[in-house]
Amino acid sequence: MLYVLDIDDTLYLERDYVRSGFCVVGRWLAENRNVEDFFERAWTLFESGARGNIFDTVLEDLGIFDKELVSHLVHLYRVHHPDILLQTDAMEFLRRHKQADLAIISDGYSSAQWSKIRALNLEQYVDKIIVTGDLGKEFWKPNPRAYILAQGGRSSEECVYIADNSLKDFKAPARLGWAPSVRIRRKESLHYAIDTPESCIEVDLLTDEKL
Ligand SMILES: [Mg+2]
């Protein structure tokens, strides 16, 4: 079997990446703009469910909003070396399988995703790593290109995708005739509240015996 894994909220908790990015941005703002409480403000917004516009909102609240500053902060966030760790069950799963039987498909900007891959040391466990950001925006999920590349010469029934986001992760593997996907539903994951599609197997840890 070829186990193809997502990264964010599948192998580690994405909220840890967000926290780590806010810390780096907060430090830069403290040193360069005398802003002492960026982290607290941004994290409070994140915890209350805000997504996508947190930098804009905090800078507006602080009265220092400008577009170039936001772009710079987004850049710092995406290139920072994150302080993140593999979940214990994810580490066990990766160690339990041969490198040749593991692949990764991760959606997102190349610099951010590769920083996570390095921080989690994933190249030591997995043969094939595909970041959709390297392929071009049109190939982000749910486009099947990354899945076709991950599959390589294997038959489709031999491939299974393991991921957390019911909204975008499982369409392509279903279309390609892969084995039923596994939806991992971690307690603190960002998409926890979204139901698992009927066609998927749900687990809360990668050490679940259904896997
Ligand atoms: Mg994910």
Side-chain angles (χ1 to χ4, degrees):
M1 206 72 189
L2 176 69
Y3 297 97
V4 183
L5 298 140
D6 170 53
I7 298 178
D8 298 318
D9 277 339
T10 295
L11 297 179
Y12 83 100
L13 287 178
E14 191 165 0
R15 56 187 276 111
D16 292 345
Y17 177 81
V18 174
R19 188 193 286 123
S20 163
F22 286 170
C23 277
V24 167
V25 169
R27 230 173 289 139
W28 188 90
L29 283 168
E31 281 162 19
N32 296 278
R33 298 292 159 105
N34 266 330
V35 171
E36 295 302 332
D37 59 352
F38 172 86
F39 177 84
E40 287 72 20
R41 287 172 180 264
W43 189 248
T44 304
L45 282 172
F46 178 79
E47 289 279 59
S48 69
R51 300 289 183 266
N53 60 350
I54 292 180
F55 290 175
D56 297 36
T57 309
V58 175
L59 298 194
E60 273 161 16
D61 290 349
L62 291 165
I64 57 166
F65 175 83
D66 91 71
K67 272 190 176 165
E68 266 177 47
L69 179 57
V70 172
S71 305
H72 180 63
L73 300 182
V74 169
H75 172 75
L76 288 177
Y77 181 90
R78 287 199 190 133
V79 300
H80 93 282
H81 187 78
D83 184 12
I84 53 176
L85 286 173
L86 282 173
Q87 293 283 289
T88 314
D89 58 294
M91 168 91 82
E92 243 179 78
F93 184 87
L94 293 171
R95 285 190 170 150
R96 199 162 7 110
H97 294 93
K98 282 194 291 206
Q99 210 166 335
D101 293 335
L102 295 173
I104 279 174
I105 294 175
S106 179
D107 218 24
Y109 294 98
S110 299
S111 54
Q113 297 313 98
W114 281 105
S115 298
K116 295 171 189 174
I117 290 161
R118 280 189 286 272
L120 298 172
N121 253 318
L122 293 177
E123 281 162 302
Q124 106 183 43
Y125 301 104
V126 175
D127 256 3
K128 208 184 266 182
I129 298 181
I130 298 151
V131 173
T132 58
D134 294 337
L135 305 174
K137 193 88 193 192
E138 67 272 36
F139 297 114
W140 285 34
K141 293 172 185 173
N143 187 286
R145 170 69 70 90
Y147 296 82
I148 293 166
L149 291 172
Q151 184 175 337
R154 306 253 190 163
S155 67
S156 26
E157 316 83 74
E158 242 190 296
C159 302
V160 59
Y161 193 47
I162 305 172
D164 67 293
N165 187 347
S166 300
L167 299 177
K168 64 171 186 176
D169 286 332
F170 307 120
K171 290 184 181 123
R175 259 167 66 194
L176 294 170
W178 284 22
S181 293
V182 175
R183 192 274 174 108
I184 177 150
R185 199 170 192 176
R186 294 193 183 281
K187 283 274 144 49
E188 292 187 296
S189 62
L190 305 189
H191 303 287
Y192 181 80
I194 299 167
D195 285 339
T196 299
E198 269 179 35
S199 56
C200 296
I201 298 159
E202 183 181 300
V203 298
D204 55 9
L205 292 172
L206 293 179
T207 42
D208 192 295
E209 58 194 20
K210 279 178 257 167
L211 257 163

